[in-house]
């Protein structure tokens, strides 16, 4: 069995640009449907099906940190489902069986990456990392709304704008899916909402050149679009057996005018995934805002990544060694200790940022992003804004199965510096800023506005240390 022992990385949801085609609302009303091509199911031998089921069951028995669950319930799952494995003759039925098996586990980070998506062993070109329409959606109540449209993207060219309601993606009724989420018990909603939003946004990121059929409410009318995805942009990287992922780091400096406050700038750093390949870009971004009054780390939509990165990244913002929390497996405990960054990657001296720090999260913020946000919040280094995060914080590894699929499974638990569990609970913002369709349509980012407003309200002594030397920003001579 091939095993990758590393903190788990969830799949990226990147954005890119290309061609769009709009059609009238009348065409929507006629209920146009895309042609669906089917093919014979891929055969799987009974021996492979049984050994794959047995491997999944054994891996959970031997590594899942919740030993009470394993001792009390896991054997009955095997006894009830294993007979189905002996009847399987195709991959589709095997996939269904594994999904039914993993559904019994109460925590996140247990699922299967299909063999076809897990075959890559080298870093391909960016064109192989998938595509996107440039549109991102979020939920406001039981409606899916356009949250962001990349400038120049297929969605932007089509005239799709933030704040508009997306009623359908393909044949899927998004409102119906969100109503199902809202009907769940309150404790189950954050994770269910995260998974629903992940699925919506995955559908907006098909392979390059493939089209996505959308139904959007514009001015009270339903308008259909067929949007063709283009290659993603960003630093393409491969982690373990996951498909290629395009990581992106965006840095902005908001002037006083842009942030509706005083003269000093506020730095904003957003990135879509925690990948080692992005470390140089993150370092450059930190340098680019180091003279600002405060920094906002925007982790909205960031599903996680390499967990150990939080220690190095956190070192940019602390002046002494401090822990973000503890990861525990069955056999050992590991403190996520941050040490101040005193040296850059090129060997030049560096000083940790001592100004105010804000972090923005939303229902699609998960895993490593939650570890960082919760830890920085609970040691008092950052104030968190936005909406409650996904509550999917468990670290996991990947095992190759006899079927060729890859089994992603949690092998540890994580608690914050106060010993509280993040899994299931998520990160609750200090200041909750819910989405508004009206604000989105006006081009306003209420969470970012709240974060910058808080930074501006802090005493000047908290922005920069009194002894900090003055230096020219690299963009100026």
């Amino acid at each position: 069995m091939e095993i990758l022992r590393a903190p788990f990385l969830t799949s990226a949801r990147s954005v890119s640009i290309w061609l769009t085609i709009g059609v009238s609302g009348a065409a929507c009303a006629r209920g146009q449907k895309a042609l669906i091509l089917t093919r014979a199911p891929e055969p799987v031998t009974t021996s492979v099906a049984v050994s794959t089921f047995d491997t999944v069951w054994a891996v959970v028995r031997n590594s899942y940190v919740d030993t009470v669950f394993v001792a009390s319930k896991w054997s009955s799952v095997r006894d009830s489902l294993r007979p189905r494995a002996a009847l399987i003759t195709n991959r589709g039925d095997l996939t269904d069986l594994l999904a039914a098996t993993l559904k019994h586990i109460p925590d996140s980070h247990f699922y299967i990456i299909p063999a076809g998506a897990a075959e890559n062993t080298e870093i391909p070109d960016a064109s192989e990392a998938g595509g996107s329409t440039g549109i991102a959606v979020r939920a406001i109540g039981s409606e899916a709304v356009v949250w962001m449209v990349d400038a120049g993207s297929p969605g932007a060219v089509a005239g799709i704008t933030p704040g508009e309601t997306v009623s359908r993606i393909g044949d899927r009724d998004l409102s119906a899916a969100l109503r199902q989420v809202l009907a769940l018990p309150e404790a189950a909603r954050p994770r269910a909402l995260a998974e629903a939003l992940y699925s919506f946004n995955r559908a907006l990121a098909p392979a390059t050149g493939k089209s996505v059929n959308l139904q959007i409410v514009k001015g009270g009318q339903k308008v259909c679009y067929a949007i063709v995805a283009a290659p993603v942009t960003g630093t393409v990287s491969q982690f373990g057996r996951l498909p290629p992922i395009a990581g992106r780091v965006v840095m902005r400096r908001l002037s006083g005018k842009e942030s509706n406050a005083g003269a000093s700038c506020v730095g904003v750093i957003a990135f879509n995934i925690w990948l080692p390949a992005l470390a140089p870009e993150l370092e450059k971004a930190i340098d680019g805002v180091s003279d600002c009054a405060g920094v906002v780390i925007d982790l909205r939509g960031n599903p996680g990544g390499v967990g150990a990165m939080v220690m190095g990244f956190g070192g940019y913002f602390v002046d002494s060694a401090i822990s973000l929390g503890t990861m525990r497996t069955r056999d050992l405990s590991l403190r996520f200790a941050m040490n101040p960054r005193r040296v850059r990657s090129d060997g030049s001296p560096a000083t940790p940022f001592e100004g105010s720090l804000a972090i923005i999260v939303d229902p699609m913020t998960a895993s490593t992003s939650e570890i960082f946000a919760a830890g920085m919040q609970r040691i008092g280094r950052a104030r968190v804004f936005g909406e409650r995060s996904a509550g999917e914080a468990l670290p996991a590894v990947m095992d190759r199965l006899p079927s060729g699929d890859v089994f992603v499974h949690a092998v540890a638990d994580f608690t914050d510096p106060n010993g509280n569990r993040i899994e299931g609970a998520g990160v609750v913002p200090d200041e909750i800023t819910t989405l508004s369709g009206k604000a989105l349509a006006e081009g306003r980012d209420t969470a970012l506005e709240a974060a910058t407003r808080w930074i501006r309200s802090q005493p000047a002594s908290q922005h920069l240390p009194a002894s900090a030397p003055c230096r020219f920003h690299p963009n100026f001579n």
Side-chain angles (χ1 to χ4, degrees):
M1 183 186 303
E2 298 174 278
I3 301 176
L4 173 68
R5 296 295 176 191
F8 176 61
L9 170 68
T10 49
S11 58
R13 286 93 188 174
S14 302
V15 290
S16 60
I17 58 174
W18 200 241
L19 172 69
T20 62
I21 305 170
V23 295
S24 70
C28 281
R30 290 196 295 269
Q32 291 184 338
K33 292 186 177 180
L35 176 65
I36 300 175
L37 300 177
T38 60
R39 60 182 178 182
E42 180 183 344
V44 171
T45 66
T46 298
S47 62
V48 167
V50 171
S51 61
T52 297
F53 176 87
D54 287 346
T55 299
V56 167
W57 187 87
V59 165
V60 174
R61 178 196 60 192
N62 296 333
S63 64
Y64 184 28
V65 70
D66 188 347
T67 54
V68 173
F69 169 84
V70 171
S72 62
K73 298 180 180 180
W74 197 230
S75 291
S76 64
V77 172
R78 177 196 57 197
D79 296 342
S80 64
L81 293 178
R82 191 176 188 274
R84 283 175 53 182
L87 303 176
I88 286 174
T89 59
N90 65 76
R91 182 171 288 277
D93 289 346
L94 176 59
T95 299
D96 291 343
L97 173 62
L98 296 179
T101 304
L102 300 180
K103 201 171 184 178
H104 289 272
I105 300 175
D107 284 325
S108 66
H109 287 59
F110 285 86
Y111 56 89
I112 305 296
I113 301 175
E119 290 173 350
N120 300 292
T121 57
E122 296 181 358
I123 298 176
D125 295 333
S127 61
E128 297 182 47
S132 179
T133 58
I135 304 167
V137 299
R138 294 295 189 271
I140 298 179
S142 62
E143 289 189 342
V145 298
V146 178
W147 175 60
M148 185 181 297
V149 183
D150 269 14
S153 71
V157 173
I160 296 170
T161 58
E164 295 176 336
T165 298
V166 183
S167 53
R168 286 184 176 275
I169 300 178
D171 289 333
R172 188 173 187 189
D173 184 332
L174 305 193
S175 291
L178 290 173
R179 285 194 295 271
Q180 289 178 335
V181 170
L182 294 174
L184 293 171
E186 185 175 353
R189 287 178 203 162
R191 187 176 299 160
L193 176 58
E195 292 307 314
L197 291 174
Y198 288 146
S199 69
F200 297 167
N201 285 279
R202 275 195 298 267
L204 294 169
T208 301
K210 299 294 185 180
S211 66
V212 180
N213 295 323
L214 301 178
Q215 187 181 94
I216 291 182
V217 178
K218 267 187 177 298
Q221 294 187 336
K222 293 179 179 178
V223 181
C224 286
Y225 297 84
I227 303 182
V228 180
V232 294
T233 58
T235 301
V236 177
S237 180
Q238 184 114 21
F239 182 82
R241 305 189 188 285
L242 288 173
I245 297 166
R248 295 175 60 188
V249 178
V250 177
M251 182 273 285
R252 291 185 289 160
R253 293 166 56 89
L254 302 182
S255 66
K257 180 179 179 181
E258 291 172 297
S259 50
N260 301 315
S264 299
C265 73
V266 172
V268 182
I269 299 172
F271 54 105
N272 66 334
I273 200 151
W274 296 78
L275 279 181
L278 295 183
E281 295 179 53
L282 290 170
E283 180 179 80
K284 184 178 179 180
I286 296 291
D287 277 346
V289 298
S290 60
D291 59 340
C292 287
V295 170
V296 179
I297 305 298
D298 189 349
L299 296 177
R300 288 174 291 185
N302 188 320
V306 179
M309 284 186 68
V310 300
M311 293 184 275
F313 187 71
Y316 288 115
F317 305 102
V318 296
D319 59 6
S320 61
I322 192 167
S323 174
L324 279 173
T326 303
M327 184 185 296
R328 293 181 177 86
T329 68
R330 289 188 180 184
D331 304 317
L332 56 86
S333 294
L334 172 66
R335 290 177 66 248
F336 272 38
M338 300 180 292
N339 290 299
R341 284 288 188 115
R342 303 295 185 190
V343 179
R344 294 184 180 86
S345 57
D346 63 2
S348 62
T351 302
F353 181 79
E354 297 187 33
S356 299
L357 181 65
I359 299 173
I360 309 180
V361 300
D362 75 356
M364 291 181 67
T365 303
S367 195
T368 301
S369 294
E370 293 182 289
I371 289 173
F372 179 75
M376 297 299 274
Q377 177 191 51
R378 291 164 198 181
I379 64 173
R381 180 61 184 93
R383 185 171 177 82
V384 178
F385 298 81
E387 299 176 274
R388 181 175 170 175
S389 66
E392 298 182 355
L394 297 185
V397 297
M398 294 172 271
D399 287 354
R400 177 75 72 174
L401 298 173
S403 61
D405 301 318
V406 169
F407 177 30
V408 178
H409 58 100
V411 294
D413 198 3
F414 190 89
T415 53
D416 68 19
N418 300 323
N420 298 316
R421 201 167 187 246
I422 302 172
E423 176 72 12
V427 181
V428 178
D430 299 290
E431 185 172 333
I432 295 175
T433 54
T434 56
L435 289 180
S436 155
K438 182 175 182 292
L440 289 171
E442 293 172 350
R444 294 176 51 219
D445 186 336
T446 53
L448 182 58
E449 288 173 1
T452 56
R453 185 165 53 245
W454 171 75
I455 288 173
R456 300 287 184 184
S457 72
Q458 301 307 296
S461 60
Q462 289 186 235
H463 290 162
L464 288 170
S467 60
C470 178
R471 70 177 180 84
F472 287 106
H473 186 267
N475 290 343
F476 298 89
N477 293 321

